[in-house]
């Protein structure tokens, strides 16, 4: 299972694990979660934040500044992650 933790106060998201929907390389759920995290990472880096991976952990952090543009992008991707968890609850969980 892919476990995603969202911290709206710190504007950070972390994801860990493999969805297990299908074998590695054919897992559409894992691919969807990964692409949402990659998109979030690119958005963060373009706006002064950072993203990194370590083993099966993917973490994205935004600068802690009041900015509607950052909040909007952050919320949009987080909503995509929540939607993925709603559609595939046996393979993705979202906390936060």
């Amino acid at each position: 299972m892919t476990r995603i933790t969202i911290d709206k106060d710190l504007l950070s998201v972390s994801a860990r694990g493999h969805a297990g929907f299908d074998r590695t390389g054919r897992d559409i759920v894992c691919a969807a979660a990964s692409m949402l995290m990659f998109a979030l990472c690119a958005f963060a880096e373009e706006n002064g934040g950072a993203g990194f991976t370590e083993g099966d952990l993917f973490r994205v952090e935004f600068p802690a500044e009041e900015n509607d543009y950052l909040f909007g992008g952050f919320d949009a991707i987080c909503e995509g992650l929540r939607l993925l968890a709603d559609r595939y609850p046996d393979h993705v969980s979202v906390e936060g």
Side-chain angles (χ1 to χ4, degrees):
M1 175 173 286
T2 299
R3 289 176 169 73
I4 298 165
T5 304
I6 299 170
D7 188 327
K8 288 187 107 177
D9 293 331
L10 297 177
L11 284 183
S12 71
V13 179
S14 62
R16 180 180 294 270
H18 181 67
F21 182 78
D22 201 345
R23 63 185 158 95
T24 301
R26 296 186 52 88
D27 193 326
I28 61 170
V29 177
C30 201
S34 294
M35 286 313 302
L36 286 166
M37 290 299 292
F38 280 120
L40 189 63
C41 181
F43 181 71
E45 288 177 352
E46 289 172 4
N47 292 283
F52 67 89
T53 60
E54 181 180 306
D56 70 344
L57 172 68
F58 198 131
R59 184 162 178 81
V60 179
E61 298 172 345
F62 283 80
E65 60 184 46
E66 296 293 322
N67 181 323
D68 288 340
Y69 179 72
L70 289 182
F71 289 141
F74 178 84
D75 284 342
I77 297 293
C78 289
E79 191 57 35
L81 292 165
R82 287 186 191 97
L83 180 61
L84 190 62
D86 287 346
R87 296 283 198 274
Y88 299 95
D90 294 337
H91 305 282
V92 179
S93 69
V94 173
E95 180 182 316

